[in-house]
Amino acid sequence: LQLNGIEITPATAAQPLATLSTVDVDLQLLPLLFGSQALSIKRLDVDGLTINAMVDRNGRKNWALPQTSEAALSTTTPQQDAEEWSLDIAGLEFSDITVHYQDESTGADYQLTLPTVWTGRLRYDEPADVRYAARVRDNTTAMEASMTGAGRMSFNAGLNNFTFAELNTRQTIARPGYPDIVLDLLLDGRVNTNEGALSATFKGNLGDSPIQGEAGVLIGDRIGITFDIVLEALHGDRFIATTAADP
């Protein structure tokens, strides 16, 4: 099954919330036709996905769903429905993924680009291999970071709790007029999408300085970030501007 040229635009939006060039799915349909609740996919390739997440000056989010009554919410149990199914995906491959986040109420403007994301076999609550390459840009400061990583991840049937283990990452942070910063980390942690929360422990090197600690991110009306870091022998002179115009 191949789908092309998909676009999702909220009724009041000036631009699409999401566009997708191509999704290619090799789905095992026969078991589903006979009533099986086992979703088996031999291959899932996604190419050219763009997401525009926007918050206007009044704090309204373009991805927010219409308000639903408490009575309606009490009768829906998507997580229970999902847990009745089994999932078996031989592997995922994503390419050319872009997420643009802009908040007019705070001036925040970020862009995440994922040239490639690859996973091994995916089943509920079972670790799977994952590799990725990514770039992040702060459009207000022109600061950029490029990242690569490889490790293990898992997720539950409700698709609201993700864990990652022994995720080896390398980030290169580029700042106009400053030397690049290279950060090598080994990460373990979890993401809860219901709570909008990420927690992680890490250890590695900032340049040639050992670093370790804990980090947390909480996404609500605003994004909150907490750190507890132990950094040894920081060579601060290596992070000072060294452009020709500097004295």
Side-chain angles (χ1 to χ4, degrees):
L1 175 64
Q2 186 177 89
L3 301 174
N4 300 285
I6 300 171
E7 181 177 300
I8 300 174
T9 304
T12 59
Q15 62 177 313
L17 170 61
T19 60
L20 177 61
S21 296
T22 304
V23 57
D24 195 353
V25 184
D26 188 350
L27 175 65
Q28 301 298 294
L29 287 174
L30 191 59
L32 298 177
L33 295 177
F34 283 92
S36 171
Q37 288 186 296
L39 184 60
S40 179
I41 299 175
K42 287 187 175 181
R43 187 184 74 255
L44 176 56
D45 298 338
V46 176
D47 179 64
L49 173 64
T50 299
I51 298 174
N52 296 299
M54 305 294 175
V55 181
D56 67 18
R57 290 182 175 84
N58 298 314
R60 291 189 296 261
K61 306 174 181 68
N62 70 338
W63 66 87
L65 297 175
Q67 294 294 324
T68 307
S69 68
E70 293 184 5
L73 288 172
S74 65
T75 60
T76 58
T77 56
Q79 182 169 344
Q80 292 178 4
D81 291 342
E83 290 173 350
E84 295 176 359
W85 287 72
S86 65
L87 178 70
D88 188 355
I89 302 177
L92 302 180
E93 187 164 351
F94 294 82
S95 57
D96 192 20
I97 310 300
T98 301
V99 179
H100 182 206
Y101 173 82
Q102 185 175 25
D103 189 339
E104 294 181 348
S105 67
T106 65
D109 191 341
Y110 301 99
Q111 183 162 310
L112 168 66
T113 304
L114 295 162
T116 179
V117 178
W118 173 92
T119 75
R121 191 171 192 172
L122 296 174
R123 293 175 171 176
Y124 292 138
D125 299 310
E126 293 186 13
D129 293 326
V130 60
R131 298 194 303 266
Y132 70 89
R135 294 189 300 272
V136 179
R137 176 180 172 84
D138 183 341
N139 291 323
T140 61
T141 65
M143 183 181 294
E144 297 184 1
S146 60
M147 296 168 281
T148 57
R152 305 275 281 173
M153 63 160 286
S154 63
F155 54 89
N156 67 342
L159 298 180
N160 54 27
N161 201 343
F162 297 79
T163 63
F164 48 94
E166 298 183 348
L167 185 62
N168 285 283
T169 69
R170 163 164 282 207
Q171 297 89 33
T172 302
I173 303 171
R175 306 160 298 161
Y178 290 81
D180 290 352
I181 298 173
V182 178
L183 181 61
D184 292 299
L185 293 177
L186 180 65
L187 299 168
D188 294 274
R190 62 182 294 269
V191 177
N192 188 306
T193 57
N194 284 348
E195 300 172 357
L198 177 150
S199 59
T201 60
F202 58 88
K203 60 181 178 180
N205 292 283
L206 176 59
D208 56 3
S209 301
I211 185 174
Q212 62 180 332
E214 301 177 351
V217 178
L218 184 62
I219 302 176
D221 293 334
R222 295 291 185 267
I223 299 176
I225 303 176
T226 59
F227 288 100
D228 183 8
I229 299 175
V230 177
L231 181 62
E232 302 177 17
L234 177 64
H235 301 287
D237 58 310
R238 300 180 186 178
F239 304 101
I240 299 174
T242 57
T243 60
D246 292 328

